[in-house]
Amino acid sequence: MKYHSFAGVLIAIVSLSVFAGGNTTNQSVSKAKKMLMRDVYTQSSQRRTIYCNAVFDSKKNITLPTGFHTNKYVKRSKRVEIEHVVPAENFGRTFSEWRDGHPQCVNSKGKSFKGRRCAEKINTEYRYMQSDMFNLYPAVGAVNAMRSNYNFVMLSGGVSDFGSCNMQIENRKAQPPKKSRGMIARSYLYMDITYKRYSMSKSQRNLMLAWDKQYPVNDWECERSSKIERLQGNFNLVMTKRCNSM
């Protein structure tokens, strides 16, 4: 009897460790983005962009925040894009295909290429990481473009680049609005503990830990995580812990 009890516990632990790993069910980032829009952001009250809290509908029509204006990426300001909160480059550059290319990464004209395109073509592990829905959020296209792959920081003073959306971008650094800092932090923490290839710097980790505490999870964030767990098949241990302690 004791043996069976121990065996049951062991199986449960092993099962949990498997499901607590990263994404291993979907290699297509375009499919992941479609699943988010179709199966996660199902209610009108949930359709808000991560940085600007801008409302969008099921057809991706977007209502920009008051005073929103940009001279760059004007066309992209009119559409919703699905954004990697932890930039793909931050983990992509750990792959040799991203840094150095690969013999199979040659275009129709015989020219070699590297970077995201090569890593996506050659490396299955990269495709899984890139398609992890816990790290994907809707964003105003222009904000996504201007944020680029810049690190998040706390800036001294400054003025929003996007009207009432208090997203500040300066000297290749970005300071997001308070409303999005908790979600951002927990995405970074999830990627950090889930994928051995990705590791935050000490300063970035300290900032994310601080934001995680200052801006706790809410009901929608927990619901979002639960939906993604069902769709993707792995647990988000960061979100599970936070949501269970609400």
Side-chain angles (χ1 to χ4, degrees), residues 1 15 21 23 25 77 87 105 122 145 152 163 166 177 182 184 210 227 236:
M1 189 71 177
S15 299
N23 168 37
T25 58
S77 69
C105 290
I122 301 299
F152 290 114
N166 193 26
I184 289 168
K227 286 183 175 183
N236 182 330

Side-chain angles (χ1 to χ4, degrees), residues 151-153 200-209:
N151 282 337
F152 290 114
V153 298
M200 287 186 279
S201 67
K202 182 178 179 180
S203 60
Q204 190 81 152
R205 182 177 289 104
N206 287 340
L207 179 62
M208 295 307 159
L209 289 170

Side-chain angles (χ1 to χ4, degrees), residues 42-198:
T42 56
Q43 304 297 321
S44 57
S45 60
Q46 300 165 347
R47 297 188 187 115
R48 300 263 182 171
T49 62
I50 184 168
Y51 303 129
C52 293
N53 201 37
V55 177
F56 62 93
D57 63 21
S58 59
K59 296 182 179 179
K60 296 186 180 181
N61 297 312
I62 192 166
T63 301
L64 293 171
T66 304
F68 186 102
H69 176 75
T70 177
N71 292 321
K72 295 181 179 180
Y73 308 106
V74 175
K75 290 184 179 180
R76 291 177 70 175
S77 69
K78 299 177 182 178
R79 67 174 187 249
V80 172
E81 296 177 357
I82 304 299
E83 146 97 339
H84 283 99
V85 170
V86 176
E89 183 179 355
N90 285 20
F91 53 83
R93 61 193 174 209
T94 67
F95 292 87
S96 61
E97 295 87 356
W98 185 294
R99 299 189 309 272
D100 308 316
H102 187 276
Q104 295 180 33
C105 290
V106 181
N107 65 20
S108 59
K109 296 182 180 180
K111 185 176 180 180
S112 299
F113 59 88
K114 54 185 178 179
R116 182 199 297 258
R117 184 180 167 197
C118 186
E120 188 171 13
K121 178 179 180 179
I122 301 299
N123 200 296
T124 301
E125 184 184 0
Y126 172 79
R127 291 194 295 271
Y128 279 134
M129 290 183 72
Q130 179 182 242
S131 306
D132 194 315
M133 289 188 286
F134 287 116
N135 187 41
L136 293 171
Y137 280 86
V140 177
V143 178
N144 180 22
M146 293 177 70
R147 184 262 163 136
S148 185
N149 62 350
Y150 302 159
N151 282 337
F152 290 114
V153 298
M154 291 300 296
L155 296 170
S156 300
V159 179
S160 169
D161 294 287
F162 307 103
S164 61
C165 170
N166 193 26
M167 177 76 163
Q168 299 178 37
I169 301 171
E170 181 181 314
N171 297 324
R172 300 180 64 84
K173 305 289 184 183
Q175 176 183 289
K178 292 180 179 180
K179 191 175 184 66
S180 64
R181 292 175 191 172
M183 290 183 287
I184 289 168
R186 287 178 281 278
S187 291
Y188 270 80
L189 293 171
Y190 164 78
M191 293 295 285
D192 189 62
I193 70 168
T194 304
Y195 295 101
K196 292 181 180 180
R197 280 187 172 273
Y198 175 69

Side-chain angles (χ1 to χ4, degrees), residues 25-36 38 133:
T25 58
N26 174 36
Q27 299 182 40
S28 170
V29 68
S30 61
K31 180 181 176 181
K33 292 177 180 181
K34 290 177 182 177
M35 288 173 67
L36 276 173
R38 183 188 65 232
M133 289 188 286

